[in-house]
């Protein structure tokens, strides 16, 4: 199965609000294809992207950690 991120015209707020979904809703940060989708979004010049329409979105477990922990665990030491 091939990942297929979808373009979002606006950026995603780090935290969900009453009118906009947050990052953890739009993206599956634990997906094995996440880095490839991020690269694809950059190549296409997208402002942001969502995983919600991807068939792989429902197959991979949702993130088990918050955004802060995710960001720091990917940072080189």
């Amino acid at each position: 199965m091939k990942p297929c991120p979808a373009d979002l015209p606006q950026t995603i707020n780090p935290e969900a609000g009453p009118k906009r979904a947050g990052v953890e809703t739009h993206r599956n940060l634990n997906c094995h294809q996440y880095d490839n989708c991020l690269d694809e979004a950059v190549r296409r010049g997208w402002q942001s992207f969502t995983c919600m329409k991807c068939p792989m979105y429902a197959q991979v477990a949702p993130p088990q950690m918050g955004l802060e922990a995710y960001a720091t665990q990917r940072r080189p030491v």
Side-chain angles (χ1 to χ4, degrees), residues 2-38:
K2 184 179 175 190
C4 55
D7 185 21
L8 276 179
Q10 75 278 356
T11 58
I12 301 172
N13 283 336
E15 297 177 9
K19 295 184 180 183
R20 289 173 67 180
V23 172
E24 291 175 338
T25 301
H26 276 287
R27 298 186 186 164
N28 188 338
L29 303 177
N30 287 339
C31 178
H32 297 294
Q33 296 295 323
Y34 183 80
D35 289 339
N36 294 329
C37 292
L38 186 58

Side-chain angles (χ1 to χ4, degrees), residues 40-76:
E40 183 70 18
V42 170
R43 267 193 299 278
R44 293 183 181 206
W46 291 347
Q47 192 70 301
S48 189
F49 73 96
T50 183
C51 305
M52 293 174 75
K53 296 178 182 176
C54 180
M56 298 176 77
Y57 180 75
Q59 290 185 346
V60 182
Q64 300 298 311
M65 62 179 85
L67 294 175
E68 291 293 325
Y70 180 80
T72 57
Q73 68 96 15
R74 294 180 64 92
R75 185 181 308 151

